[in-house]
Amino acid sequence: MNITQLSVFLENRKGRLAEVCSLLGRHQINIRALTIAETESFGVLRIVVDKPDEAAALLKEHRITANVTNVVAVEVPDKPGGLAGVLKVLADHDVNVEYMYGFVEKSSDNALMVFRFDAVEAAIKVLSDSGIKIVGAEHIRGL
Amino acid sequence: MIWKEDIETMPLEDLKNLQSERLANIVRYVYENCPVYKDKFDRTGVSPGDVRSIDDITRLPFTTKLDMRDHYPFGLFSRPRTDLVEIHVSSGTTGNPTLVGYTRDDIGLWSDVMARALCCAGAEPEDTIQIAYGYGLFTGGLGFHYGALEMGLTIIPTSSGQTKRQLKIMQDFTPRILACTPSYALYMVEEAKEMGLDPRRSSWEIGIFGAEPWSESMRAEIEAEWNMLATDVYGLSEIIGPGVSQECHLKQGLHVFSDVFYPEIIDPETGQPVAEGQDGELVITTLTKQGIPLIRYRTRDIVSMTTEPCACGRTSPRTSKIKGRTDDMIVVRGINVFPSQIEHVLLGIEGTHPHYQIVIDRQAHQLDSVQIMVEVDERIFSDEIKKMRALERQIQHEIQAVLSVSVEVKLVEPKTLERSMGKAKRVVDKRSL
């Protein structure tokens, strides 16, 4: 049920993000969700794309340091308190969220969020048992 | 004044006789007391009886830092550990530091040569000296301390750092002599100005600067800013610490105390002596040291030397300032650093061998800064910032622990570091010394 995120190491310098994004663009790889965590000297770009295997190979070929990370895409009701409800379920079951970010598109009427968990399988079970909808890889490709 | 006038102004012929006698003695001494040397001499086919004159020194094998490393810690000592009264270490090329030890007589020798150095720079027995070299395992602080004690100076052992306090002590106790690294002397200029002091009106009249290479232009700057005489002192822990040689007020080269530390200048490639005045590697034999005497120790420092007696009256040979190194050692804030030490640390981190580069810089009147750039590959990369930061900190702490110098670690993308001819460029030194 988990999906693939590409995590890319980037130096904090002008134009670097643009270079990586245009490399993906030139190869018809579409970014579905994205977030950047940064320090003063470097950043980690985290992206969910429509063709993760191709993207990973492409980055490797260009000697860009990248890892594949398993994340979970979760449907979150698009209304006040929607995200809080999901987070409460996780907290009640002692599931720790490393980080999270949102998709650009919605899935039906719900917002789509990416969650990075330490214990992915346990997190998936907690979410499913609580009736929270998890979106699979095929769905992401179709967005 | 000249501290050991009879020795320091000795006619060259008498000096040579003294050196010859001492060389013969020390060669016999290490042969009989240090199995490593006995073996070295036996393998070279030279026996103590063959050494009758100082000119025979070229028949003896060299000693290198590699020997110090291979026989770490006590293999090169000629005396049992119980005879040592003090131990110091300096940087080694990899895991282990270089160990040196002193017997009570060796401390006496160190005190004597440092008293000579202080006098050579212009100190008088009634003077007060501020010693802003680090005290501790580094030989700078204690070497000056022993010499000043021997001379009967008043010592202010401020050690290194705490600049505001250094300057307040200077104002309050008015020492005439300052001993520290030349870059620290310049650094203190800025701090003094910030405190509203006029550096040109400081109590310091004589500076004794060393532990790192420095140029004539740096000397001119220090002398103009502080309105003082800036002299160069040279030494290395393996030989004694500071006190191998020192400039007099004429600043025409560093007087080598050659009755105890016999200097040769060799071609580092062939090992043969170079002509007088030519650049070459300085090689030193300790003629009287007891604990860990070294025969023909390769300092890796490039200098030239003249045997022409100086107008100050001293007859000892004089070397130029250090012009370079025959290895990749760099000196940062007075501390010797080998790139291999950093490599060693990086190798130990998660078993990886990341590509790295050391960038050293010094802004005007600032202390040296060291940045270690480490290329991040898939093996050490994580999508979690906290893990990357932890890695950065781990590398920083481990390198600092080994080097005793604070460093900044910067994680960079692969292939960003300069490579020349496909070979990694490990050190980028941007300082103009």
PDB file of all heavy atoms in Angstrom, chain B residues 86-116:
ATOM      1  N   GLU B  86      58.666  14.165  31.520  1.00  0.00           N
ATOM      2  CA  GLU B  86      57.572  14.855  30.825  1.00  0.00           C
ATOM      3  C   GLU B  86      57.372  14.230  29.448  1.00  0.00           C
ATOM      4  O   GLU B  86      58.329  13.791  28.815  1.00  0.00           O
ATOM      5  CB  GLU B  86      57.932  16.341  30.684  1.00  0.00           C
ATOM      6  CG  GLU B  86      56.776  17.218  30.260  1.00  0.00           C
ATOM      7  CD  GLU B  86      57.093  18.703  30.419  1.00  0.00           C
ATOM      8  OE1 GLU B  86      57.769  19.081  31.409  1.00  0.00           O
ATOM      9  OE2 GLU B  86      56.672  19.476  29.550  1.00  0.00           O
ATOM     10  N   ILE B  87      56.122  14.207  29.030  1.00  0.00           N
ATOM     11  CA  ILE B  87      55.786  13.650  27.714  1.00  0.00           C
ATOM     12  C   ILE B  87      54.914  14.655  26.964  1.00  0.00           C
ATOM     13  O   ILE B  87      54.044  15.290  27.547  1.00  0.00           O
ATOM     14  CB  ILE B  87      55.053  12.300  27.888  1.00  0.00           C
ATOM     15  CG1 ILE B  87      56.057  11.174  28.157  1.00  0.00           C
ATOM     16  CG2 ILE B  87      54.220  11.963  26.674  1.00  0.00           C
ATOM     17  CD1 ILE B  87      55.418   9.871  28.555  1.00  0.00           C
ATOM     18  N   HIS B  88      55.188  14.827  25.679  1.00  0.00           N
ATOM     19  CA  HIS B  88      54.339  15.664  24.820  1.00  0.00           C
ATOM     20  C   HIS B  88      53.986  14.878  23.569  1.00  0.00           C
ATOM     21  O   HIS B  88      54.689  13.939  23.200  1.00  0.00           O
ATOM     22  CB  HIS B  88      55.067  16.950  24.412  1.00  0.00           C
ATOM     23  CG  HIS B  88      55.132  17.960  25.513  1.00  0.00           C
ATOM     24  ND1 HIS B  88      54.200  18.956  25.655  1.00  0.00           N
ATOM     25  CD2 HIS B  88      56.024  18.128  26.527  1.00  0.00           C
ATOM     26  CE1 HIS B  88      54.506  19.693  26.717  1.00  0.00           C
ATOM     27  NE2 HIS B  88      55.615  19.207  27.259  1.00  0.00           N
ATOM     28  N   VAL B  89      52.940  15.286  22.897  1.00  0.00           N
ATOM     29  CA  VAL B  89      52.632  14.685  21.596  1.00  0.00           C
ATOM     30  C   VAL B  89      52.409  15.782  20.575  1.00  0.00           C
ATOM     31  O   VAL B  89      52.050  16.895  20.912  1.00  0.00           O
ATOM     32  CB  VAL B  89      51.375  13.773  21.631  1.00  0.00           C
ATOM     33  CG1 VAL B  89      51.552  12.631  22.584  1.00  0.00           C
ATOM     34  CG2 VAL B  89      50.121  14.570  21.942  1.00  0.00           C
ATOM     35  N   SER B  90      52.673  15.429  19.326  1.00  0.00           N
ATOM     36  CA  SER B  90      52.307  16.319  18.225  1.00  0.00           C
ATOM     37  C   SER B  90      51.534  15.483  17.212  1.00  0.00           C
ATOM     38  O   SER B  90      51.332  14.287  17.412  1.00  0.00           O
ATOM     39  CB  SER B  90      53.540  16.942  17.586  1.00  0.00           C
ATOM     40  OG  SER B  90      54.284  15.963  16.905  1.00  0.00           O
ATOM     41  N   SER B  91      51.095  16.113  16.133  1.00  0.00           N
ATOM     42  CA  SER B  91      50.249  15.415  15.169  1.00  0.00           C
ATOM     43  C   SER B  91      50.973  14.244  14.528  1.00  0.00           C
ATOM     44  O   SER B  91      52.134  14.361  14.158  1.00  0.00           O
ATOM     45  CB  SER B  91      49.829  16.374  14.061  1.00  0.00           C
ATOM     46  OG  SER B  91      49.390  17.570  14.613  1.00  0.00           O
ATOM     47  N   GLY B  92      50.274  13.126  14.392  1.00  0.00           N
ATOM     48  CA  GLY B  92      50.792  12.017  13.605  1.00  0.00           C
ATOM     49  C   GLY B  92      50.076  12.047  12.262  1.00  0.00           C
ATOM     50  O   GLY B  92      49.129  12.809  12.089  1.00  0.00           O
ATOM     51  N   THR B  93      50.527  11.217  11.332  1.00  0.00           N
ATOM     52  CA  THR B  93      49.892  11.268  10.020  1.00  0.00           C
ATOM     53  C   THR B  93      48.578  10.500   9.999  1.00  0.00           C
ATOM     54  O   THR B  93      47.705  10.804   9.217  1.00  0.00           O
ATOM     55  CB  THR B  93      50.833  10.718   8.939  1.00  0.00           C
ATOM     56  OG1 THR B  93      51.386   9.504   9.413  1.00  0.00           O
ATOM     57  CG2 THR B  93      51.942  11.690   8.641  1.00  0.00           C
ATOM     58  N   THR B  94      48.452   9.483  10.836  1.00  0.00           N
ATOM     59  CA  THR B  94      47.155   8.782  10.887  1.00  0.00           C
ATOM     60  C   THR B  94      46.712   8.614  12.330  1.00  0.00           C
ATOM     61  O   THR B  94      46.785   9.567  13.088  1.00  0.00           O
ATOM     62  CB  THR B  94      47.217   7.418  10.189  1.00  0.00           C
ATOM     63  OG1 THR B  94      48.332   6.709  10.702  1.00  0.00           O
ATOM     64  CG2 THR B  94      47.346   7.559   8.697  1.00  0.00           C
ATOM     65  N   GLY B  95      46.255   7.438  12.700  1.00  0.00           N
ATOM     66  CA  GLY B  95      45.655   7.242  14.012  1.00  0.00           C
ATOM     67  C   GLY B  95      46.441   7.719  15.225  1.00  0.00           C
ATOM     68  O   GLY B  95      45.904   8.385  16.093  1.00  0.00           O
ATOM     69  N   ASN B  96      47.713   7.400  15.283  1.00  0.00           N
ATOM     70  CA  ASN B  96      48.469   7.725  16.489  1.00  0.00           C
ATOM     71  C   ASN B  96      49.183   9.069  16.388  1.00  0.00           C
ATOM     72  O   ASN B  96      49.650   9.444  15.329  1.00  0.00           O
ATOM     73  CB  ASN B  96      49.521   6.650  16.760  1.00  0.00           C
ATOM     74  CG  ASN B  96      48.898   5.359  17.233  1.00  0.00           C
ATOM     75  OD1 ASN B  96      47.878   5.389  17.927  1.00  0.00           O
ATOM     76  ND2 ASN B  96      49.473   4.240  16.848  1.00  0.00           N
ATOM     77  N   PRO B  97      49.290   9.775  17.530  1.00  0.00           N
ATOM     78  CA  PRO B  97      50.076  11.010  17.504  1.00  0.00           C
ATOM     79  C   PRO B  97      51.570  10.665  17.511  1.00  0.00           C
ATOM     80  O   PRO B  97      51.936   9.503  17.608  1.00  0.00           O
ATOM     81  CB  PRO B  97      49.676  11.701  18.803  1.00  0.00           C
ATOM     82  CG  PRO B  97      49.288  10.592  19.718  1.00  0.00           C
ATOM     83  CD  PRO B  97      48.723   9.498  18.840  1.00  0.00           C
ATOM     84  N   THR B  98      52.410  11.682  17.382  1.00  0.00           N
ATOM     85  CA  THR B  98      53.843  11.476  17.521  1.00  0.00           C
ATOM     86  C   THR B  98      54.201  11.787  18.972  1.00  0.00           C
ATOM     87  O   THR B  98      53.864  12.853  19.484  1.00  0.00           O
ATOM     88  CB  THR B  98      54.611  12.418  16.568  1.00  0.00           C
ATOM     89  OG1 THR B  98      54.175  12.141  15.239  1.00  0.00           O
ATOM     90  CG2 THR B  98      56.103  12.204  16.658  1.00  0.00           C
ATOM     91  N   LEU B  99      54.856  10.822  19.608  1.00  0.00           N
ATOM     92  CA  LEU B  99      55.151  10.975  21.030  1.00  0.00           C
ATOM     93  C   LEU B  99      56.595  11.418  21.227  1.00  0.00           C
ATOM     94  O   LEU B  99      57.503  10.899  20.581  1.00  0.00           O
ATOM     95  CB  LEU B  99      54.942   9.621  21.727  1.00  0.00           C
ATOM     96  CG  LEU B  99      55.367   9.550  23.192  1.00  0.00           C
ATOM     97  CD1 LEU B  99      54.424  10.359  24.070  1.00  0.00           C
ATOM     98  CD2 LEU B  99      55.426   8.107  23.656  1.00  0.00           C
ATOM     99  N   VAL B 100      56.801  12.380  22.110  1.00  0.00           N
ATOM    100  CA  VAL B 100      58.157  12.742  22.503  1.00  0.00           C
ATOM    101  C   VAL B 100      58.231  12.792  24.022  1.00  0.00           C
ATOM    102  O   VAL B 100      57.237  13.055  24.686  1.00  0.00           O
ATOM    103  CB  VAL B 100      58.612  14.101  21.906  1.00  0.00           C
ATOM    104  CG1 VAL B 100      58.762  13.980  20.398  1.00  0.00           C
ATOM    105  CG2 VAL B 100      57.652  15.224  22.247  1.00  0.00           C
ATOM    106  N   GLY B 101      59.406  12.495  24.557  1.00  0.00           N
ATOM    107  CA  GLY B 101      59.551  12.477  26.004  1.00  0.00           C
ATOM    108  C   GLY B 101      60.861  13.113  26.412  1.00  0.00           C
ATOM    109  O   GLY B 101      61.818  13.143  25.634  1.00  0.00           O
ATOM    110  N   TYR B 102      60.904  13.637  27.604  1.00  0.00           N
ATOM    111  CA  TYR B 102      62.075  14.367  28.089  1.00  0.00           C
ATOM    112  C   TYR B 102      62.557  13.775  29.408  1.00  0.00           C
ATOM    113  O   TYR B 102      61.748  13.509  30.300  1.00  0.00           O
ATOM    114  CB  TYR B 102      61.721  15.835  28.349  1.00  0.00           C
ATOM    115  CG  TYR B 102      61.122  16.565  27.162  1.00  0.00           C
ATOM    116  CD1 TYR B 102      59.797  16.340  26.784  1.00  0.00           C
ATOM    117  CD2 TYR B 102      61.876  17.471  26.425  1.00  0.00           C
ATOM    118  CE1 TYR B 102      59.243  17.017  25.700  1.00  0.00           C
ATOM    119  CE2 TYR B 102      61.327  18.152  25.341  1.00  0.00           C
ATOM    120  CZ  TYR B 102      60.015  17.911  24.982  1.00  0.00           C
ATOM    121  OH  TYR B 102      59.467  18.576  23.909  1.00  0.00           O
ATOM    122  N   THR B 103      63.870  13.593  29.520  1.00  0.00           N
ATOM    123  CA  THR B 103      64.435  13.283  30.830  1.00  0.00           C
ATOM    124  C   THR B 103      64.642  14.624  31.546  1.00  0.00           C
ATOM    125  O   THR B 103      64.453  15.685  30.952  1.00  0.00           O
ATOM    126  CB  THR B 103      65.805  12.597  30.694  1.00  0.00           C
ATOM    127  OG1 THR B 103      66.706  13.527  30.068  1.00  0.00           O
ATOM    128  CG2 THR B 103      65.719  11.332  29.841  1.00  0.00           C
ATOM    129  N   ARG B 104      65.052  14.558  32.800  1.00  0.00           N
ATOM    130  CA  ARG B 104      65.309  15.808  33.521  1.00  0.00           C
ATOM    131  C   ARG B 104      66.400  16.623  32.800  1.00  0.00           C
ATOM    132  O   ARG B 104      66.284  17.843  32.670  1.00  0.00           O
ATOM    133  CB  ARG B 104      65.713  15.509  34.969  1.00  0.00           C
ATOM    134  CG  ARG B 104      65.730  16.723  35.858  1.00  0.00           C
ATOM    135  CD  ARG B 104      65.846  16.338  37.318  1.00  0.00           C
ATOM    136  NE  ARG B 104      64.656  15.671  37.833  1.00  0.00           N
ATOM    137  CZ  ARG B 104      63.531  16.298  38.188  1.00  0.00           C
ATOM    138  NH1 ARG B 104      63.444  17.604  38.071  1.00  0.00           N
ATOM    139  NH2 ARG B 104      62.512  15.624  38.662  1.00  0.00           N
ATOM    140  N   ASP B 105      67.423  15.935  32.293  1.00  0.00           N
ATOM    141  CA  ASP B 105      68.478  16.645  31.561  1.00  0.00           C
ATOM    142  C   ASP B 105      67.942  17.273  30.276  1.00  0.00           C
ATOM    143  O   ASP B 105      68.391  18.337  29.860  1.00  0.00           O
ATOM    144  CB  ASP B 105      69.621  15.685  31.199  1.00  0.00           C
ATOM    145  CG  ASP B 105      70.499  15.365  32.401  1.00  0.00           C
ATOM    146  OD1 ASP B 105      70.353  16.066  33.434  1.00  0.00           O
ATOM    147  OD2 ASP B 105      71.302  14.413  32.316  1.00  0.00           O
ATOM    148  N   ASP B 106      66.993  16.581  29.636  1.00  0.00           N
ATOM    149  CA  ASP B 106      66.411  17.124  28.401  1.00  0.00           C
ATOM    150  C   ASP B 106      65.632  18.414  28.680  1.00  0.00           C
ATOM    151  O   ASP B 106      65.647  19.345  27.878  1.00  0.00           O
ATOM    152  CB  ASP B 106      65.476  16.104  27.744  1.00  0.00           C
ATOM    153  CG  ASP B 106      66.233  14.889  27.193  1.00  0.00           C
ATOM    154  OD1 ASP B 106      67.448  15.015  26.952  1.00  0.00           O
ATOM    155  OD2 ASP B 106      65.593  13.837  27.014  1.00  0.00           O
ATOM    156  N   ILE B 107      64.946  18.432  29.823  1.00  0.00           N
ATOM    157  CA  ILE B 107      64.235  19.668  30.197  1.00  0.00           C
ATOM    158  C   ILE B 107      65.259  20.782  30.424  1.00  0.00           C
ATOM    159  O   ILE B 107      65.047  21.942  30.057  1.00  0.00           O
ATOM    160  CB  ILE B 107      63.353  19.452  31.461  1.00  0.00           C
ATOM    161  CG1 ILE B 107      62.233  18.439  31.160  1.00  0.00           C
ATOM    162  CG2 ILE B 107      62.768  20.773  31.950  1.00  0.00           C
ATOM    163  CD1 ILE B 107      61.169  18.901  30.174  1.00  0.00           C
ATOM    164  N   GLY B 108      66.415  20.384  30.998  1.00  0.00           N
ATOM    165  CA  GLY B 108      67.504  21.361  31.179  1.00  0.00           C
ATOM    166  C   GLY B 108      67.993  21.883  29.833  1.00  0.00           C
ATOM    167  O   GLY B 108      68.226  23.095  29.668  1.00  0.00           O
ATOM    168  N   LEU B 109      68.128  20.986  28.861  1.00  0.00           N
ATOM    169  CA  LEU B 109      68.549  21.380  27.515  1.00  0.00           C
ATOM    170  C   LEU B 109      67.521  22.328  26.888  1.00  0.00           C
ATOM    171  O   LEU B 109      67.868  23.361  26.310  1.00  0.00           O
ATOM    172  CB  LEU B 109      68.700  20.125  26.640  1.00  0.00           C
ATOM    173  CG  LEU B 109      68.837  20.342  25.131  1.00  0.00           C
ATOM    174  CD1 LEU B 109      70.151  21.046  24.803  1.00  0.00           C
ATOM    175  CD2 LEU B 109      68.744  19.009  24.380  1.00  0.00           C
ATOM    176  N   TRP B 110      66.252  21.959  27.034  1.00  0.00           N
ATOM    177  CA  TRP B 110      65.164  22.775  26.457  1.00  0.00           C
ATOM    178  C   TRP B 110      65.177  24.188  27.088  1.00  0.00           C
ATOM    179  O   TRP B 110      65.077  25.200  26.387  1.00  0.00           O
ATOM    180  CB  TRP B 110      63.827  22.079  26.728  1.00  0.00           C
ATOM    181  CG  TRP B 110      62.698  22.487  25.844  1.00  0.00           C
ATOM    182  CD1 TRP B 110      62.753  23.303  24.746  1.00  0.00           C
ATOM    183  CD2 TRP B 110      61.328  22.077  25.984  1.00  0.00           C
ATOM    184  NE1 TRP B 110      61.496  23.426  24.186  1.00  0.00           N
ATOM    185  CE2 TRP B 110      60.610  22.682  24.923  1.00  0.00           C
ATOM    186  CE3 TRP B 110      60.646  21.257  26.883  1.00  0.00           C
ATOM    187  CZ2 TRP B 110      59.224  22.496  24.760  1.00  0.00           C
ATOM    188  CZ3 TRP B 110      59.280  21.061  26.711  1.00  0.00           C
ATOM    189  CH2 TRP B 110      58.582  21.674  25.664  1.00  0.00           C
ATOM    190  N   SER B 111      65.335  24.214  28.418  1.00  0.00           N
ATOM    191  CA  SER B 111      65.393  25.496  29.127  1.00  0.00           C
ATOM    192  C   SER B 111      66.543  26.332  28.595  1.00  0.00           C
ATOM    193  O   SER B 111      66.405  27.534  28.359  1.00  0.00           O
ATOM    194  CB  SER B 111      65.594  25.258  30.629  1.00  0.00           C
ATOM    195  OG  SER B 111      64.607  24.389  31.121  1.00  0.00           O
ATOM    196  N   ASP B 112      67.682  25.675  28.381  1.00  0.00           N
ATOM    197  CA  ASP B 112      68.876  26.380  27.909  1.00  0.00           C
ATOM    198  C   ASP B 112      68.673  26.958  26.509  1.00  0.00           C
ATOM    199  O   ASP B 112      68.913  28.135  26.273  1.00  0.00           O
ATOM    200  CB  ASP B 112      70.077  25.417  27.920  1.00  0.00           C
ATOM    201  CG  ASP B 112      71.301  26.041  27.272  1.00  0.00           C
ATOM    202  OD1 ASP B 112      71.719  27.137  27.712  1.00  0.00           O
ATOM    203  OD2 ASP B 112      71.835  25.449  26.305  1.00  0.00           O
ATOM    204  N   VAL B 113      68.196  26.138  25.570  1.00  0.00           N
ATOM    205  CA  VAL B 113      68.044  26.656  24.201  1.00  0.00           C
ATOM    206  C   VAL B 113      66.947  27.709  24.120  1.00  0.00           C
ATOM    207  O   VAL B 113      67.056  28.674  23.354  1.00  0.00           O
ATOM    208  CB  VAL B 113      67.802  25.544  23.141  1.00  0.00           C
ATOM    209  CG1 VAL B 113      69.071  24.736  22.936  1.00  0.00           C
ATOM    210  CG2 VAL B 113      66.619  24.654  23.496  1.00  0.00           C
ATOM    211  N   MET B 114      65.911  27.569  24.930  1.00  0.00           N
ATOM    212  CA  MET B 114      64.865  28.591  24.894  1.00  0.00           C
ATOM    213  C   MET B 114      65.336  29.888  25.547  1.00  0.00           C
ATOM    214  O   MET B 114      64.944  30.973  25.121  1.00  0.00           O
ATOM    215  CB  MET B 114      63.576  28.072  25.556  1.00  0.00           C
ATOM    216  CG  MET B 114      62.677  27.283  24.634  1.00  0.00           C
ATOM    217  SD  MET B 114      62.372  28.072  23.008  1.00  0.00           S
ATOM    218  CE  MET B 114      61.554  29.588  23.484  1.00  0.00           C
ATOM    219  N   ALA B 115      66.199  29.792  26.566  1.00  0.00           N
ATOM    220  CA  ALA B 115      66.787  31.008  27.144  1.00  0.00           C
ATOM    221  C   ALA B 115      67.657  31.694  26.087  1.00  0.00           C
ATOM    222  O   ALA B 115      67.638  32.919  25.940  1.00  0.00           O
ATOM    223  CB  ALA B 115      67.608  30.662  28.384  1.00  0.00           C
ATOM    224  N   ARG B 116      68.401  30.871  25.328  1.00  0.00           N
ATOM    225  CA  ARG B 116      69.202  31.445  24.240  1.00  0.00           C
ATOM    226  C   ARG B 116      68.301  32.146  23.229  1.00  0.00           C
ATOM    227  O   ARG B 116      68.616  33.219  22.732  1.00  0.00           O
ATOM    228  CB  ARG B 116      69.958  30.331  23.502  1.00  0.00           C
ATOM    229  CG  ARG B 116      70.995  29.615  24.315  1.00  0.00           C
ATOM    230  CD  ARG B 116      71.854  28.823  23.349  1.00  0.00           C
ATOM    231  NE  ARG B 116      72.367  27.587  23.910  1.00  0.00           N
ATOM    232  CZ  ARG B 116      73.085  26.709  23.211  1.00  0.00           C
ATOM    233  NH1 ARG B 116      73.330  26.938  21.926  1.00  0.00           N
ATOM    234  NH2 ARG B 116      73.550  25.617  23.773  1.00  0.00           N
TER     235      ARG B 116
END
